[in-house]
Amino acid sequence: MLTLREVHAGYGGTRVLHDVTLHVPAGSIVALLGANGAGKTTTMRILLGLLAPTSGEVLIGGQVAQRIDRHVMGYVPQGLGLYRDLTVAENLAFAAAAFGVPTPPLTEEGLEEFADRRVGEISLGLRRRLAFIVARCHQPSVLILDEPTSGVGPLGRARLWETIHETAQDGAAVLVSTHHMEEAEECDRVILMSAGREIASGSVADVVGGASSVAVSGDVTDEALRSLTETGGTVLVSGGGWRVVGLDSATVTRIVGPAGSVEEVPASFEEAFVALSR
């Protein structure tokens, strides 16, 4: 399991994490969600033992993170950590040799036909699949994935998530960061981060709770949309209309006027995240 308790961290005197607490049990998937700069990668670097926290407790399997056997960890960084001048097969063989384990077959991810291709010559989706095999070749009990589906299309993301679920079902504790809100549904728990702080945690249903937003449709002018923003609302495009977060329906009705149709509706997960971030 992974545990952070009341962790603070910073670079060069600037604090970038503020009182972050999280727990990832074995066999579960927990997601860190937030925009770039929210603190997701810093949190992962602390768990990996690459960065010491200013204060707080960091444990992996009950042991201090910086003292654990590296064999328990699997990691896919944003840059994937592959050698572009080596072939697909050579990258996997190198990783397996580094951990002292047999080289797993490339058939696991359907990459056998690319075995002799240099990594720099294959698509991003194939490189991400290879990075997953490399990270899991020694069967780690902890898997940390930093934006693992970034730049990959919907079908590629679905395939990678199948692999993530298989890893958790095998008993690993999986921590994944993402900025794709729809991927929250793939996880047992989500932790929302903004400006280095945890702003909410729990299941998607827990986070959304009873939150609402305002649906707007009709012949709404650009001036009215600007006014909604200037009044303190966040306007999101939704189908043929808009959803407004941060303003009540009475205020929205007053601003858009009779040309617009206004209705208070249950918030989506993305809208709840926007509201919490505010």
Side-chain angles (χ1 to χ4, degrees):
M1 66 181 72
L2 306 177
T3 302
L4 265 68
R5 294 195 184 104
E6 300 176 354
V7 167
H8 296 257
Y11 298 101
T14 301
R15 180 162 290 184
V16 294
L17 284 188
H18 308 262
D19 196 23
V20 173
T21 294
L22 65 84
H23 180 62
V24 187
S28 69
I29 304 171
V30 174
L32 296 177
L33 279 84
N36 291 336
K40 305 186 301 295
T41 297
T42 299
T43 300
M44 291 184 161
R45 286 176 60 82
I46 288 173
L47 281 166
L48 290 162
L50 301 175
L51 176 68
T54 306
S55 63
E57 188 175 36
V58 184
L59 302 174
I60 297 177
Q63 300 182 55
V64 176
Q66 291 171 311
R67 299 178 184 172
I68 66 162
D69 182 344
R70 294 293 113 183
H71 283 74
V72 307
M73 306 288 289
Y75 176 47
V76 178
Q78 288 187 34
L80 301 183
L82 301 172
Y83 296 95
R84 296 175 64 89
D85 290 336
L86 297 182
T87 66
V88 168
E90 289 169 341
N91 267 274
L92 184 55
F94 177 82
F99 283 106
V101 298
T103 303
L106 286 165
T107 51
E108 179 183 349
E109 288 289 340
L111 293 174
E112 62 275 12
E113 64 181 289
F114 303 98
D116 297 324
R117 294 275 298 276
R118 294 182 187 276
V119 165
E121 299 171 349
I122 63 175
S123 69
L124 175 59
L126 292 174
R127 292 200 299 271
R128 290 204 176 278
R129 282 158 58 185
L130 175 60
F132 269 59
I133 301 177
V134 167
R136 298 168 67 224
C137 71
H138 56 295
Q139 298 182 324
S141 56
V142 171
L143 185 61
I144 295 181
L145 310 169
D146 195 359
E147 303 279 2
T149 63
S150 179
V152 180
L155 290 178
R157 290 210 303 270
R159 182 163 187 167
L160 291 174
W161 272 104
E162 286 179 6
T163 304
I164 294 171
H165 282 289
E166 288 170 2
T167 303
Q169 288 164 7
D170 289 340
V174 181
L175 181 67
V176 54
S177 73
T178 181
H179 58 266
H180 294 292
M181 293 293 122
E182 67 274 15
E183 293 185 351
E185 298 283 355
E186 302 282 353
C187 305
D188 300 301
R189 290 182 66 250
V190 295
I191 296 171
L192 307 187
M193 299 189 69
S194 179
R197 300 179 185 276
E198 175 189 329
I199 56 174
S201 66
S203 67
V204 170
D206 291 336
V207 171
V208 174
S212 63
S213 62
V214 180
V216 179
S217 59
D219 189 18
V220 179
T221 66
D222 290 343
E223 182 181 357
L225 294 175
R226 284 194 298 271
S227 181
L228 288 170
T229 301
E230 291 167 356
T231 306
T234 299
V235 180
L236 306 173
V237 177
S238 176
W242 303 267
R243 306 266 285 209
V244 182
V245 178
L247 296 176
D248 58 40
S249 57
T251 302
V252 175
T253 299
R254 175 177 58 79
I255 292 173
V256 302
S261 174
V262 175
E263 180 185 7
E264 188 167 319
V265 296
S268 67
F269 178 72
E270 180 179 4
E271 290 160 358
F273 175 72
V274 170
L276 288 165
S277 298
R278 290 164 57 88

